[in-house]
Amino acid sequence: YSGQANMSGTVTGTFENLALQFKLLAKKINLPSGLKVDKLEGQASMMADESGQVNGEFTAKNLKYGKHPVMDGKLTLQGTRAKHQLNLTAQGKEFKFASTLQGGLIVATNRWQGLLQNLTLEGGIPIKLAAPAPLLFDTKGATLEQAHVQLNKGNVFIDLIKFDSNGFASTGH
């Protein structure tokens, strides 16, 4: 491990209903997993209760993982715990990626449920999500269903992609 990271913030409320606010600035991060980041900065806040506002923005400069190309990235989050939108973008010399997720946390089941609203990858092998697709994250894994992905030369129809403690499973045509 090497680098410098500074984080400040507050956490209030009960464990079941936390509110938090924090700022992060990290420079020259180098982790044993092969992740390197020249600069990572951002801030986030989450108010208590399901209707509590959630907001955040994080940017990464010169992010590199293993032998993959260097990229810059940005993540933004806006809305409430129960209904919010997350945007993720990344760009390198040979590609541009953008994705939007819309959904919310379901506290009773400890899961996030919503839609993969869009996903595009421009570059060597361009892809585009044709229509929103149901997406679920919980403590056991993630599931994407009924996704139609357009490729440069053809289409992929994903009935199910699932990652969980049992591994990876997929069906489609």
Side-chain angles (χ1 to χ4, degrees):
Y1 299 95
S2 64
Q4 177 185 13
N6 295 304
M7 187 171 167
S8 62
T10 58
V11 177
T12 59
T14 64
F15 187 73
E16 295 81 20
N17 194 25
L18 289 177
L20 63 90
Q21 174 180 323
F22 69 91
K23 291 183 179 182
L24 169 69
L25 175 60
K27 296 179 180 178
K28 303 293 183 192
I29 301 299
N30 190 354
L31 301 178
S33 64
L35 180 66
K36 297 178 182 182
V37 184
D38 279 354
K39 185 176 182 183
L40 175 63
E41 65 181 324
Q43 57 77 32
S45 64
M46 179 174 69
M47 306 310 284
D49 300 321
E50 283 189 36
S51 60
Q53 291 289 314
V54 293
N55 294 292
E57 183 173 312
F58 294 90
T59 57
K61 298 289 182 190
N62 294 324
L63 174 73
K64 182 164 177 53
Y65 181 70
K67 296 180 181 180
H68 298 283
V70 173
M71 69 180 93
D72 293 334
K74 184 174 184 177
L75 180 142
T76 60
L77 174 66
Q78 282 188 304
T80 65
R81 285 185 187 206
K83 186 177 181 183
H84 52 265
Q85 179 171 305
L86 184 139
N87 296 301
L88 178 63
T89 59
Q91 186 168 348
K93 288 182 180 179
E94 299 177 9
F95 76 95
K96 186 175 181 181
F97 171 84
S99 183
T100 301
L101 285 70
Q102 286 185 324
L105 291 172
I106 303 168
V107 177
T109 58
N110 201 23
R111 67 196 307 182
W112 185 93
Q113 188 170 338
L115 296 172
L116 177 58
Q117 281 292 108
N118 70 53
L119 183 139
T120 59
L121 178 63
E122 299 172 11
I125 303 174
I127 65 171
K128 182 178 181 180
L129 184 67
L135 184 61
L136 169 82
F137 294 99
D138 62 20
T139 57
K140 297 175 184 167
T143 303
L144 175 67
E145 296 180 286
Q146 305 305 314
H148 172 194
V149 178
Q150 297 171 330
L151 305 173
N152 197 25
K153 295 181 180 180
N155 294 281
V156 174
F157 297 93
I158 300 167
D159 296 324
L160 173 76
I161 292 181
K162 186 174 187 174
F163 299 91
D164 62 18
S165 59
N166 294 323
F168 171 79
S170 67
T171 59
H173 57 283

